[in-house]
Amino acid sequence: MKKHQFTNYKDLWEWSVAHKETFWEETVANLNIIQHKKFEQILNIDDGVTKAKWLFGAQLNIIDSCFQNKDNATAIVFQKPNKKVQKVTQKELENLVNKIANSFKNIQVEKGDTIAIDLPMTVECVAIYLAAIKAGIKVATIVDSFTPKEIQVRLQITNPKVVFTQDVLERAGKTFPLYEKVVTANTHKIVVIKTQKETAVSLRNQDVFWDDFLSENTNFTSVKQSPQDCITILFSSGTTGEPKAIPWNHTTAIKSASDGFYHQNIQENDVVCWPTNLGWMMGPWLIFATLINKAAIGLYYDAPLGAGFGEFVQSTKVSMLGVIPSIVKHWKNSGCMQPFNWNAIKNYSSTGEVSNPTEMNYLMHLANNKPVIEYCGGTEIGGGYVTSTVVQENIPSTFSTKALGSDFVLLDENYQETTKGEVFLIPPIMGLSTELLNKNHQKIYYDDTPKHQKVLRRHGDELRQLENGYFKILGRVDDAMNLGGIKVSATQIEAAINQLNFVLESAAIAAAPEDGGPAKLVVFYVESKNQNNDEDRLKAAQKIVKSELNPLFKVTDLLKIDVLPRTASNKIMRRTLRDNYKVK
């Protein structure tokens, strides 16, 4: 704002959209993105705005931009269960990354190949991710809580040469098998990190332990690529059963880093902690937004639900803490974070679910009234499209602005601009996907979008713009839902429920409380004639959803209905069910 002599934020945002090429060119300079060969055009739209190419003509590797702090600066601060806090310097992380990059050839993985990572966020996980991209290898990321069935679907789509995982996963005093799950998913080859000496894991012949995989060579020169080359394959549930496989390229990482810079205010030597997983977009986002901005990643190896996490935040002096609203609700109800001094926090950020203003107010006061940057975007965006800033008034559970460098419109059911309606993005925006590996990108995002003076891109969120210009998120207009920060399609839930012998057909909805906050999973079902009256139906529904999809999903209500409401074309009217359901 000072540079361009803007006296208010709104003028800055308007300039960032009206002069998009200048904005992104200056952003690349602000972030000091290292290019082996400088771009010829910051933006090339010869193939149209739906297939925009950013940094066109450049040669680079985004990992080079992740190592620009001092060698002895802290890159990662972490804590294992029941252990002391440890630190990794930038030089130590770079050496580990280079060792891994040199090790790939030992397992016949080369430039252009794909690996998969099914790990919690650990030092090794971050290093493997950075090393693969540095070596020109694509990374398919898989959430560590997924069932073998869900893992297998993702492996079949991406066909990685090797999967990196660990023996077991420790969470809240319990131990869960991880290697065993990956084996069940029919994996070709696995590299296994051993976390417990006493855990006897018997490897298959083709698999190898981490210590036997790792080279000692700490010298490696990054593989230079086109900005459009794929670095990561992430998955996002659409409105049909199979997840969308979304490729990120080198410029997607710049979108993540720019949001962290402008909106989350991440600065040099900050400590950024955001409990997440590499399989969700916030995992790669955390790595790029933190390291490119010369900050340190805070990794807590256990569940962030109790006093141990609060102490970690206090002792490591976390300056930016990311949350999902469900976690905040738990903290408020349990009071577990009350004893800690979180005054080092400059601001929070919240994403993944609709938040509740009372709970967000509570969160702010845990750090002496620091603001919460509400943040909403998508895997196919590489960051946010609506967010907040630290230079505007902060009002809990509202978004103060469209993200810098991006724009959208809200349209009603008649496709007229409105203050309460469906979000349609206006491309080009750096970070926006231009292809899907397993689906028709054009059909999903652009076909049959409303006529407008500009090309519109479908997104699926519903927002309301308030009188002061701020925004509130209302949920989804399509059949996707966010449960505990995890996006899943209604059809995936229903496919599991429909296997129960008392169910003829079903409809799943995410029901949000009237005052805002995390949505609850509610299932309506039509009874089958083969019903078995002896079983607890709600428990049966909960069990099958946890085993088939994700153990973190919980069916909170199961309601019998005579007939599901349908349109003339036989499509289930889930919105009608949502509108008529009152959260208990």
Side-chain angles (χ1 to χ4, degrees):
M1 288 171 68
K2 283 180 181 176
K3 179 178 178 180
H4 292 278
Q5 300 179 324
F6 296 124
T7 55
N8 68 75
Y9 176 82
K10 188 168 181 287
D11 291 344
L12 172 67
W13 174 81
E14 286 177 348
W15 169 82
S16 79
V17 172
H19 302 274
K20 197 170 283 190
E21 292 182 43
T22 306
F23 167 77
W24 284 109
E25 189 166 344
E26 291 190 14
T27 296
V28 166
N30 287 339
L31 297 172
N32 197 29
I33 299 301
I34 295 171
Q35 301 168 67
H36 181 65
K37 178 190 171 196
K38 192 172 192 278
F39 59 82
E40 296 161 14
Q41 295 173 277
I42 187 71
L43 171 64
N44 178 291
I45 50 171
D46 289 352
D47 297 329
V49 293
T50 66
K51 294 188 180 298
K53 297 180 183 71
W54 295 92
L55 275 67
F56 183 74
Q59 286 289 305
L60 79 164
N61 190 303
I62 196 62
I63 305 307
D64 294 336
S65 300
C66 295
F67 290 92
Q68 299 189 83
N69 210 346
K70 298 178 180 68
D71 281 354
N72 64 351
T74 301
I76 300 176
V77 56
F78 68 101
Q79 187 173 18
K80 297 180 179 180
N82 306 312
K83 303 284 185 185
K84 290 183 179 179
V85 171
Q86 300 177 68
K87 292 184 178 181
V88 177
T89 67
Q90 177 176 281
K91 190 60 182 176
E92 288 168 340
L93 178 60
E94 191 170 22
N95 284 342
L96 179 56
V97 165
N98 289 346
K99 283 181 178 184
I100 299 165
N102 282 308
S103 304
F104 286 122
K105 62 179 179 293
N106 298 333
I107 52 170
Q108 289 76 54
V109 176
E110 298 171 351
K111 175 187 170 185
D113 287 339
T114 302
I115 66 160
I117 299 176
D118 188 342
L119 282 166
M121 288 293 277
T122 61
V123 171
E124 291 82 5
C125 173
V126 172
I128 295 163
Y129 182 73
L130 294 168
I133 297 169
K134 188 170 185 175
I137 295 161
K138 300 184 282 285
V139 185
T141 61
I142 297 171
V143 181
D144 58 6
S145 63
F146 275 155
T147 62
K149 181 180 176 183
E150 290 294 304
I151 296 169
Q152 187 170 5
V153 167
R154 286 152 178 78
L155 296 180
Q156 285 171 343
I157 293 169
T158 54
N159 194 28
K161 277 197 167 180
V162 63
V163 179
F164 287 82
T165 192
Q166 63 187 43
D167 49 5
V168 293
L169 184 64
E170 282 188 88
R171 282 289 181 274
K174 296 180 180 177
T175 302
F176 303 94
L178 200 50
Y179 169 67
E180 189 181 301
K181 273 203 305 183
V182 178
V183 168
T184 308
N186 296 328
T187 313
H188 303 307
K189 186 179 185 67
I190 308 174
V191 175
V192 185
I193 298 166
K194 202 168 183 183
T195 63
Q196 296 184 334
K197 289 178 181 175
E198 64 274 17
T199 304
V201 174
S202 179
L203 299 191
R204 304 176 304 175
N205 290 337
Q206 67 265 45
D207 300 334
V208 62
F209 279 118
W210 172 254
D211 290 344
D212 297 323
F213 156 79
L214 198 59
S215 162
E216 286 303 310
N217 184 356
T218 58
N219 295 313
F220 188 88
T221 303
S222 64
V223 173
K224 310 305 186 286
Q225 295 185 301
S226 157
Q228 280 68 52
D229 282 337
C230 175
I231 61 171
T232 300
I233 303 159
L234 285 144
F235 296 90
S236 178
S237 291
T239 53
T240 57
E242 188 179 63
K244 293 178 291 188
I246 301 167
W248 277 26
N249 63 36
H250 293 271
T251 70
T252 320
I254 298 172
K255 164 62 175 168
S256 301
S258 72
D259 281 0
F261 179 69
Y262 293 123
H263 294 288
Q264 277 84 6
N265 192 28
I266 299 171
Q267 298 178 18
E268 186 172 339
N269 298 329
D270 279 352
V271 177
V272 182
C273 178
W274 202 318
T276 185
N277 184 273
L278 210 57
W280 309 125
M281 68 151 278
M282 292 312 297
W285 185 99
L286 174 67
I287 292 171
F288 293 124
T290 305
L291 295 183
I292 291 175
N293 286 304
K294 301 181 184 177
I297 302 170
L299 299 177
Y300 183 71
Y301 282 28
D302 209 339
L305 301 174
F309 180 71
E311 194 170 328
F312 174 77
V313 171
Q314 174 182 283
S315 64
T316 59
K317 293 186 164 44
V318 168
S319 44
M320 207 294 288
L321 178 59
V323 298
I324 60 167
S326 294
I327 290 179
V328 179
K329 185 172 187 172
H330 174 83
W331 291 345
K332 183 174 183 292
N333 291 344
S334 68
C336 63
M337 298 308 171
Q338 291 297 139
F340 301 106
N341 180 344
W342 283 6
N343 286 348
I345 290 174
K346 296 191 298 182
N347 53 277
Y348 299 94
S349 195
S350 172
T351 195
E353 299 172 291
V354 178
S355 68
N356 174 292
T358 305
E359 289 158 7
M360 288 298 124
N361 225 349
Y362 170 82
L363 180 67
M364 291 165 75
H365 286 290
L366 285 177
N368 198 20
N369 204 32
K370 301 297 171 54
V372 179
I373 304 302
E374 290 282 346
Y375 190 57
C376 183
T379 309
E380 57 274 69
I381 299 174
Y385 68 88
V386 64
T387 179
S388 309
T389 70
V390 295
V391 297
Q392 296 169 282
E393 184 180 357
N394 195 261
I395 303 170
S397 297
T398 65
F399 303 81
S400 61
T401 178
K402 299 171 180 179
L404 285 171
S406 67
D407 197 6
F408 63 84
V409 293
L410 301 181
L411 301 182
D412 63 21
E413 291 178 350
N414 298 314
Y415 294 147
Q416 299 300 306
E417 291 202 32
T418 180
T419 55
K420 178 179 179 275
E422 182 176 353
V423 173
F424 288 89
L425 303 175
I426 300 174
I429 304 167
M430 190 181 287
L432 277 187
S433 63
T434 57
E435 62 175 328
L436 295 171
L437 297 188
N438 61 334
K439 294 179 188 288
N440 186 319
H441 191 275
Q442 175 72 24
K443 182 178 178 181
I444 287 176
Y445 295 111
Y446 293 105
D447 282 2
D448 304 321
T449 50
K451 294 286 181 280
H452 191 262
Q453 66 260 37
K454 295 179 179 174
V455 172
L456 297 183
R457 172 177 167 133
R458 189 178 293 107
H459 185 65
D461 286 343
E462 184 180 22
L463 295 186
R464 178 167 69 241
Q465 189 166 25
L466 308 175
E467 288 180 9
N468 65 352
Y470 283 36
F471 298 91
K472 278 191 84 72
I473 192 159
L474 304 177
R476 300 284 299 178
V477 297
D478 58 18
D479 298 333
M481 57 182 85
N482 287 313
L483 302 173
I486 300 171
K487 190 177 171 193
V488 63
S489 73
T491 51
Q492 286 175 282
I493 302 282
E494 290 154 8
I497 296 289
N498 290 347
Q499 295 176 49
L500 298 170
N501 66 354
F502 60 84
V503 175
L504 180 64
E505 59 177 351
S506 64
I509 63 165
E514 281 186 25
D515 57 350
K520 310 223 177 259
L521 174 56
V522 177
V523 176
F524 295 83
Y525 73 98
V526 177
E527 191 174 61
S528 165
K529 291 176 183 176
N530 300 325
Q531 75 263 26
N532 181 346
N533 291 323
D534 293 336
E535 66 182 312
D536 184 321
R537 294 186 175 187
L538 177 58
K539 279 189 178 173
Q542 291 170 338
K543 183 178 178 182
I544 200 162
V545 167
K546 284 176 183 289
S547 62
E548 290 273 322
L549 293 172
N550 196 310
L552 301 179
F553 294 160
K554 183 185 179 185
V555 180
T556 56
D557 207 356
L558 182 69
L559 299 167
K560 189 166 81 168
I561 193 170
D562 291 335
V563 62
L564 296 177
R566 293 182 182 273
T567 63
S569 61
N570 210 34
K571 183 175 168 62
I572 297 172
M573 297 165 67
R574 295 182 185 86
R575 184 182 283 191
T576 301
L577 294 170
R578 270 199 304 266
D579 292 345
N580 293 334
Y581 182 83
K582 299 288 183 216
V583 175
K584 296 173 183 175

